[in-house]
Amino acid sequence: MIELLKAYRRYDPAARSLAEVFFLYPGFKAVICHRLSHFFWTRGFKFIGRAISEFARFLTGIEIHPGATIGKILIVDHGMGTVIGETAVVGEGVILYQGVTLGGTSLQVGKRHPTIGDRVVIGAGAKVLGNILIGEDTRIGANSVVVTAVPPKSTVVGIPGKVISGGVTPGLELDHDSITRT
């Protein structure tokens, strides 16, 4: 928990203290609640896991299914309306902005949500849908709709999302090293 608090503090220049992040940041609360709900979910206490998840959604406006797997450091910045589906896998040092959906495109049982690599940034309102892989160090632009796999170190924009460059586009860099370092 301390590592996550420090990551929020380092990442967000508006965060004035660890106490402010702990008490006032909905993304931090949602991730902590997810850890608890995931604990119960993976041990067969599905109802308790869902109950904690629903409470967190009510409290924060961020819905993370208790079945989702997320890394130690997930920053959900201004997260209202963010949804992470049951079979989603989210790597380390990922940043999601408000309204991001990591959703499914199938009613079949099994893996139906995306896998997000390490140090990915997903802009406000973006939708990443289906059992696809988003490569590490990728940037997805605001309001993009991504339905196909994306290679590492790409920049994706548009509807449907298209890779416009390999590597990081100038002006979109974020210091992810400071997020994942302790």
Side-chain angles (χ1 to χ4, degrees):
M1 180 177 353
I2 296 299
E3 190 176 353
L4 182 60
L5 271 174
K6 288 179 180 178
Y8 265 90
R9 177 71 173 93
R10 280 190 304 267
Y11 161 73
D12 189 348
R16 290 167 188 81
S17 68
L18 295 179
E20 181 179 33
V21 173
F22 184 84
F23 289 109
L24 303 177
Y25 275 54
F28 175 77
K29 292 174 191 172
V31 170
I32 295 304
C33 286
H34 173 265
R35 289 182 181 167
L36 184 60
S37 69
H38 187 73
F39 173 84
F40 285 106
W41 183 267
T42 57
R43 284 156 181 81
F45 298 98
K46 307 288 190 197
F47 184 85
I48 294 171
R50 284 304 298 259
I52 294 167
S53 173
E54 289 297 309
F55 173 73
R57 183 177 72 152
F58 172 78
L59 182 69
T60 66
I62 300 166
E63 181 174 348
I64 306 174
H65 192 284
T69 302
I70 62 172
K72 288 189 299 184
I73 304 297
L74 169 62
I75 305 288
V76 184
D77 191 14
H78 301 288
M80 183 61 77
T82 296
V83 177
I84 301 175
E86 178 182 12
T87 62
V89 177
V90 179
E92 287 295 322
V94 171
I95 300 173
L96 306 178
Y97 288 94
Q98 69 271 13
V100 167
T101 299
L102 304 180
T105 57
S106 170
L107 298 177
Q108 303 300 318
V109 174
K111 179 84 168 102
R112 60 190 183 282
H113 297 91
T115 297
I116 309 298
D118 295 342
R119 298 171 306 280
V120 170
V121 176
I122 304 178
K127 310 304 177 210
V128 182
L129 305 173
N131 182 13
I132 60 174
L133 174 63
I134 305 301
E136 64 185 23
D137 299 306
T138 290
R139 308 295 185 260
I140 297 175
N143 292 315
S144 296
V145 178
V146 183
V147 294
T148 58
V150 176
K153 299 184 179 185
S154 297
T155 300
V156 179
V157 297
I159 303 172
K162 296 208 184 316
V163 175
I164 61 166
S165 71
V168 177
T169 301
L172 293 180
E173 301 91 349
L174 290 176
D175 184 6
H176 280 293
D177 289 337
S178 67
I179 291 173
T180 55
R181 266 189 243 142
T182 55

